[in-house]
Amino acid sequence: MSYIIDGKAISKQIKDELKDEVSQLNCEGISICLAVVQVGNDPASSVYVRNKKRACEYIGIKSAAYELEESTTEEELVKLISELNSSDEIDGILVQLPLPKHIREDLIIQSIAPEKDVDGFHPVSVGNLCIGRSGFISCTPAGIIQLLKRSEIEITGKECVIIGRSNIVGKPMSILLLRENGTVTVTHSQTVDLKKVTSRADILIVAIGKPKFITADYVKDGAVVIDVGIHRDENNHLCGDVDFEDVEKKVSAITPVPGGVGPMTIAMLMENCVEAARKKSHR
Ligand code: GUN
């Protein structure tokens, strides 16, 4: 029997800590506002955006919603971000990804002021992370570190294998695990003999983007498995990149989908918003 890492409960714990912190800040006359920008109406993005606004409400952070037409131009979006950058009312800016094809994501990310980059995607934030300076950290990998720490899973000296090299998850995850003294391997679509590499992992982080791809034969006995994926299976049930039923029997701890990594991403976004407001109050 493996330990099921309860991301929902851990994220609730973090949100409750933040709620107290926000009410303390409110007493000091500091209120917090997150700008949430969505372009078009991709159904999955709409769900994420709704959950982020709900978390803001729970914690006591205001959210300012900007729901823009699919046909919005790059120039129009950059203009909005520039206004949000200079607004004293706004502490953090979140532009939900993916953006429509005609808008360059990297250009939009770069147009966000680094001090309001609560997603941690700006090159300044990424650079700070790489060289060990403080700054905003991409929410999903930051949430995974919290899941491990709050479940008392040791990272120091462990073989950590990440599947996936995205800018949002795989790459920042590798830096964070390195910072926690893990021995880190990043695998990707061109990796030769993936199974051989994943089978040596003490901690396996799976962000491959394929439903139930990772079966028991990819994991070592007693490993810790963190599943970043979220999909609908053939019965329209939510599932991850990991075949939970198959893998669960073999590992020491595993995150479920839903209720694992997903809620942690939002909790970390909230933490970044509180940090943005705190830093602003010290400027
Ligand atoms: N799309 C998928 N994950 C994320 C995220 O963490 N932040 C934003 N802005 N968009 C996303």
Side-chain angles (χ1 to χ4, degrees):
M1 270 294 283
S2 66
Y3 174 69
I4 312 292
I5 301 174
D6 188 345
K8 206 169 163 194
I10 297 174
S11 78
K12 167 88 166 45
Q13 197 180 42
I14 294 172
K15 284 190 287 184
D16 285 338
E17 290 164 13
L18 290 170
K19 195 174 179 170
D20 289 346
E21 204 175 331
V22 169
S23 75
Q24 181 60 40
L25 285 168
N26 288 344
C27 290
E28 294 168 27
I30 299 164
S31 65
I32 310 176
C33 184
L34 171 67
V36 181
V37 182
Q38 185 181 357
V39 186
N41 37 29
D42 170 60
S45 289
S46 298
V47 173
Y48 293 133
V49 162
R50 189 166 63 236
N51 289 339
K52 288 170 187 179
K53 286 187 204 156
R54 274 199 196 133
C56 284
E57 220 168 289
Y58 181 76
I59 289 168
I61 294 177
K62 285 184 266 177
S63 60
Y66 298 85
E67 285 152 19
L68 310 181
E69 298 283 340
E70 178 86 20
S71 60
T72 302
T73 65
E74 218 171 58
E75 293 72 27
E76 286 166 334
L77 185 53
V78 169
K79 183 165 175 285
L80 170 64
I81 292 171
S82 156
E83 285 161 13
L84 297 170
N85 282 341
S86 31
S87 165
D88 282 340
E89 306 297 314
I90 302 291
D91 298 284
I93 302 170
L94 177 134
V95 180
Q96 186 63 31
L97 304 178
L99 288 167
K101 295 269 176 293
H102 64 278
I103 300 179
R104 284 169 290 176
E105 269 177 13
D106 63 336
L107 181 116
I108 298 305
I109 289 168
Q110 283 185 52
S111 72
I112 298 172
E115 65 274 16
K116 297 191 179 185
D117 173 39
V118 287
D119 255 326
F121 295 166
H122 192 282
V124 167
S125 305
V126 177
N128 282 334
L129 173 64
C130 285
I131 58 172
R133 291 173 53 140
S134 76
F136 295 115
I137 300 172
S138 182
C139 301
T140 298
I144 291 171
I145 295 292
Q146 282 300 313
L147 276 183
L148 295 171
K149 286 193 166 175
R150 290 183 185 236
S151 307
E152 294 181 3
I153 293 165
E154 181 70 44
I155 303 171
T156 295
K158 295 292 164 66
E159 283 280 353
C160 305
V161 176
I162 301 162
I163 312 182
R165 56 175 157 180
S166 70
N167 289 341
I168 295 184
V169 181
K171 283 181 204 155
M173 190 77 250
S174 69
I175 309 286
L176 286 174
L177 288 167
L178 202 53
R179 198 165 87 173
E180 298 295 333
N181 306 310
T183 301
V184 182
T185 305
V186 182
T187 68
H188 45 79
S189 55
Q190 307 300 308
T191 295
V192 175
D193 203 350
L194 180 64
K195 226 175 250 184
K196 186 173 160 207
V197 183
T198 58
S199 296
R200 68 164 188 254
D202 299 311
I203 298 174
L204 179 63
I205 314 281
V206 188
I208 194 170
K210 294 178 184 169
K212 300 188 188 180
F213 185 87
I214 295 299
T215 46
D217 47 341
Y218 281 84
V219 303
K220 182 168 86 171
D221 269 320
V224 172
V225 175
I226 306 291
D227 189 350
V228 181
I230 185 151
H231 315 274
R232 293 254 170 212
D233 70 9
E234 58 283 4
N235 303 314
N236 207 31
H237 294 145
L238 289 174
C239 70
D241 290 350
V242 176
D243 184 338
F244 185 90
E245 274 73 39
D246 195 37
V247 171
E248 189 250 348
K249 296 174 284 208
K250 197 173 179 185
V251 298
S252 63
I254 184 167
T255 58
V257 176
V261 172
M264 294 302 292
T265 300
I266 298 185
M268 292 299 103
L269 174 69
M270 297 297 105
E271 190 167 290
N272 283 348
C273 291
V274 174
E275 193 183 323
R278 236 187 225 298
K279 280 190 181 149
K280 188 172 88 181
S281 75
H282 289 134
R283 276 203 298 274

